[in-house]
Amino acid sequence: LSKTSEAYHPSKIGTPGTKWGNDEYKTWRDTRPKQRCYHQDLVPRIRALDEIECAQTGNKLFEVVQYGELEHHDNDEPHFPLFAVRSNDWSNDKPSCFNTGGVHGYETSGVEGALLFLTNGKAAHYATNFNILVAPCVSPWGYERIQRWTAKGTDPNR
């Protein structure tokens, strides 16, 4: 059987009733083929948001910040920088709104929706009354492999 066949469904790895160990997680990771590239598909689009200017004032609308980095088990895997995009006119006097995308890697609509919100003028519109903070892709490894879990086998929102 191929590594990506049904025989390698998570329920088929390990012993029923026994918690997975390092070997089971490695088997699971090894059977999740990379299908997209976070570094090529999303990072340039996220970084480009740092350059968007307001048509009326010419001021930058957003600031892109790296808030963390995820490391993975394989030496050949790149680390994944985690980015957030915040409205440039942040003020303690405004209420704040937080939007996350790509919490589960197979939910592509979350990533695309977060980026669309930032590029279609909606975020800029709401930023006049709210602080806007968007994390477009919370689980890059899951995004690349179209998986709910992270590389460590955890559900990002649990």
Side-chain angles (χ1 to χ4, degrees):
L1 294 172
S2 74
K3 284 187 172 187
T4 58
S5 72
E6 263 312 295
Y8 282 93
H9 184 275
S11 65
K12 308 278 187 204
I13 298 172
T15 305
T18 303
K19 186 176 179 177
W20 281 9
N22 289 336
D23 290 342
E24 288 81 9
Y25 283 113
K26 181 175 180 346
T27 298
W28 182 78
R29 275 192 307 278
D30 290 348
T31 60
R32 307 297 106 184
K34 184 175 175 179
Q35 299 178 57
R36 302 187 275 217
C37 183
Y38 173 75
H39 290 280
Q40 292 177 359
D41 302 344
L42 297 182
V43 170
R45 292 171 66 193
I46 294 168
R47 289 187 188 272
L49 295 167
D50 205 35
E51 303 302 320
I52 297 176
E53 295 180 350
C54 175
Q56 287 82 17
T57 67
N59 295 334
K60 284 179 36 173
L61 289 176
F62 307 114
E63 177 186 9
V64 176
V65 295
Q66 183 178 336
Y67 67 89
E69 182 175 80
L70 295 174
E71 297 179 5
H72 293 285
H73 301 278
D74 302 325
N75 289 334
D76 60 342
E77 286 290 334
H79 296 253
F80 294 104
L82 297 171
F83 296 100
V85 182
R86 59 181 254 164
S87 49
N88 204 34
D89 58 350
W90 197 274
S91 169
N92 290 335
D93 297 330
K94 294 184 198 176
S96 298
C97 297
F98 181 47
N99 177 317
T100 60
V103 174
H104 297 126
Y106 60 70
E107 298 170 340
T108 309
S109 60
V111 173
E112 293 300 326
L115 292 171
L116 182 61
F117 174 69
L118 290 163
T119 58
N120 71 359
K122 296 294 185 187
H125 169 75
Y126 288 115
T128 59
N129 296 309
F130 298 92
N131 295 316
I132 305 293
L133 180 64
V134 178
C137 188
V138 175
S139 184
W141 188 90
Y143 169 83
E144 287 194 338
R145 286 153 180 85
I146 312 176
Q147 294 294 309
R148 179 180 181 92
W149 291 355
T150 67
K152 295 181 180 181
T154 57
D155 188 331
N157 70 348
R158 297 286 185 256

